[in-house]
């Protein structure tokens, strides 16, 4: 393979990973961790539930760490992100865990991230209960027998091909802005994470005070670490600050804005791969 071409605009750094064709996700130069890998799939679905899914949040905060592995990975394998859309709009909470149920033994399987129901998927909280994996539950976790039909996406590929053939969108859900919003949610969370510092569990709980679901998720998050013999009090989480985002200008504002905007627009293009500036 042409490694220079593969690296594209980034530096041609030595290859420090065993699985060349996948583990690039764990290096900032080439990937965005699992929140930028699996994340946009679930973040895109989550934003469909919002009052205005075409808007990015006004605040974001993320924390996590790379736990359980002695490798050259840089991105977090366990990460939690909070997205605040302001008064009148529901928030989004993203929780990613890259560890097995216990003892760093993948033979024991994955830890479900929500009430033994969801391993990979979305949970939508309503006044009288929640929807998880296409089933409706009451607030006590009892399934009411209702199950919704799921379309896993074959029509997306069909619509994409039909749009190319027609030279126009055949379905409004194909608009490129939807990809932008799903990816941007991962990027802005990582920007908060990368501006963070090591913090103990007590301070994390203080930051999450008043947010019932965030506190519950953090307790499960910490319990999964403990089950894998990781003491979050010793091997602390990397906790990013709350960042304020102007969803109209796509610029960070207020405290940490200069550092955040620099990360969002860093110029790292090598000669031969620089993009032309478009007015």
């Amino acid at each position: 393979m042409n490694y220079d071409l593969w690296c594209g605009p980034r530096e041609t750094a030595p290859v420090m990973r065993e699985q060349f064709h996948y583990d690039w996700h764990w290096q900032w130069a080439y990937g965005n961790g699992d929140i930028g890998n699996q994340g946009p799939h679930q973040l895109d679905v989550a934003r469909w539930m919002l009052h205005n899914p075409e808007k990015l949040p006004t605040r974001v905060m993320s924390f996590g760490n790379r736990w359980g592995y002695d490798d050259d990975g840089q991105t977090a394998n366990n990460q939690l992100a909070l997205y605040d859309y302001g008064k009148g709009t529901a928030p989004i909470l993203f929780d990613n865990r890259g560890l097995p149920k216990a003892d760093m033994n993948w033979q024991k399987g994955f830890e479900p991230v929500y009430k033994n129901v969801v391993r990979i998927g979305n949970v939508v909280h309503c006044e009288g209960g929640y929807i998880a994996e296409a089933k409706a539950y009451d607030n006590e976790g009892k399934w009411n027998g209702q199950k919704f039909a799921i379309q896993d996406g074959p029509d997306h590929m069909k619509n994409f091909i039909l749009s190319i053939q027609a030279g126009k969108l055949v379905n409004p859900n194909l608009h490129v802005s939807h990809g932008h919003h799903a990816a941007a949610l991962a990027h802005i969370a990582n920007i908060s994470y990368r501006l963070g510092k090591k913090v103990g569990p007590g301070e994390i709980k203080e930051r999450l005070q008043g947010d019932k679901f965030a506190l519950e998720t953090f307790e499960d998050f910490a319990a999964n670490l403990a089950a894998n013999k990781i003491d979050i009090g010793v091997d602390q989480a990397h906790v990013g600050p709350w960042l304020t985002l102007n969803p109209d200008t796509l610029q960070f504002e207020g405290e940490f804005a200069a550092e955040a905007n620099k990360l969002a627009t860093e110029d790292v293009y090598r000669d031969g791969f620089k993009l032309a500036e478009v007015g």
Side-chain angles (χ1 to χ4, degrees):
M1 71 108 61
N2 185 330
Y3 184 57
D4 180 71
L5 185 61
W6 186 94
C7 291
R10 292 295 195 169
E11 61 178 330
T12 53
V15 179
M16 302 294 288
R17 55 190 184 277
E18 184 176 345
Q19 299 184 64
F20 182 81
H21 290 294
Y22 194 83
D23 287 358
W24 53 268
H25 284 293
W26 323 136
Q27 296 176 301
W28 289 122
Y30 313 112
N32 302 286
D34 241 355
I35 196 172
N37 177 24
Q38 180 65 27
H41 295 288
Q42 267 62 61
L43 290 168
D44 189 44
V45 174
R47 72 178 188 87
W48 298 350
M49 310 299 160
L50 301 178
H51 175 66
N52 186 352
E54 300 303 316
K55 282 280 190 179
L56 288 172
T58 55
R59 295 200 311 152
V60 61
M61 188 266 276
S62 182
F63 63 85
N65 204 345
R66 188 164 189 81
W67 280 296
Y69 296 95
D70 181 13
D71 60 13
D72 289 288
Q74 298 169 317
T75 62
N77 63 339
N78 280 39
Q79 189 170 358
L80 196 149
L82 300 169
Y83 302 93
D84 179 5
Y85 286 80
K87 188 176 181 181
T89 300
I92 290 177
L93 184 156
F94 176 85
D95 178 20
N96 174 76
R97 301 181 200 174
L99 293 172
K101 279 188 176 182
D103 302 324
M104 289 302 298
N105 183 354
W106 285 104
Q107 297 301 314
K108 296 188 177 183
F110 290 89
E111 178 73 12
V113 296
Y114 192 76
K115 297 184 183 297
N116 292 317
V117 175
V118 175
R119 185 171 73 84
I120 298 175
N122 290 75
V123 180
V124 182
H125 291 275
C126 308
E127 288 85 352
Y130 58 91
I131 298 169
E133 296 292 77
K135 291 183 178 180
Y137 300 82
D138 63 21
N139 282 322
E140 283 67 52
K142 182 180 178 181
W143 179 40
N144 68 2
Q146 178 72 46
K147 183 171 172 53
F148 302 95
I150 295 178
Q151 295 182 0
D152 284 337
D155 282 349
H156 296 330
M157 293 175 278
K158 176 183 175 182
N159 289 336
F160 176 65
I161 294 171
L162 290 175
S163 293
I164 293 173
Q165 292 173 339
K168 62 181 179 181
L169 291 178
V170 300
N171 186 304
N173 290 333
L174 290 170
H175 201 280
V176 68
S177 66
H178 297 179
H180 157 67
H181 285 107
L185 288 170
H187 288 311
I188 61 176
N190 271 336
I191 289 171
S192 169
Y193 174 80
R194 294 179 72 178
L195 293 177
K197 61 181 181 180
K198 292 293 185 70
V199 168
E203 186 172 336
I204 294 175
K205 290 181 182 179
E206 287 181 16
R207 294 195 189 192
L208 300 179
Q209 281 301 317
D211 190 328
K212 172 189 173 184
F213 293 118
L215 283 168
E216 285 181 356
T217 304
F218 175 67
E219 293 291 351
D220 289 343
F221 188 95
N224 181 229
L225 291 173
N228 283 284
K229 307 295 191 295
I230 298 167
D231 185 349
I232 195 174
V234 177
D235 193 359
Q236 296 180 335
H238 197 78
V239 182
W242 276 104
L243 298 176
T244 299
L245 178 71
N246 184 324
D248 296 315
T249 64
L250 302 183
Q251 293 285 306
F252 291 99
E253 299 176 348
E255 192 175 10
F256 305 107
E259 300 96 320
N261 286 321
K262 183 177 180 180
L263 274 178
T265 58
E266 55 182 339
D267 182 11
V268 293
Y269 290 89
R270 289 193 293 138
D271 288 341
F273 295 93
K274 293 183 180 295
L275 295 175
E277 292 190 15
V278 180

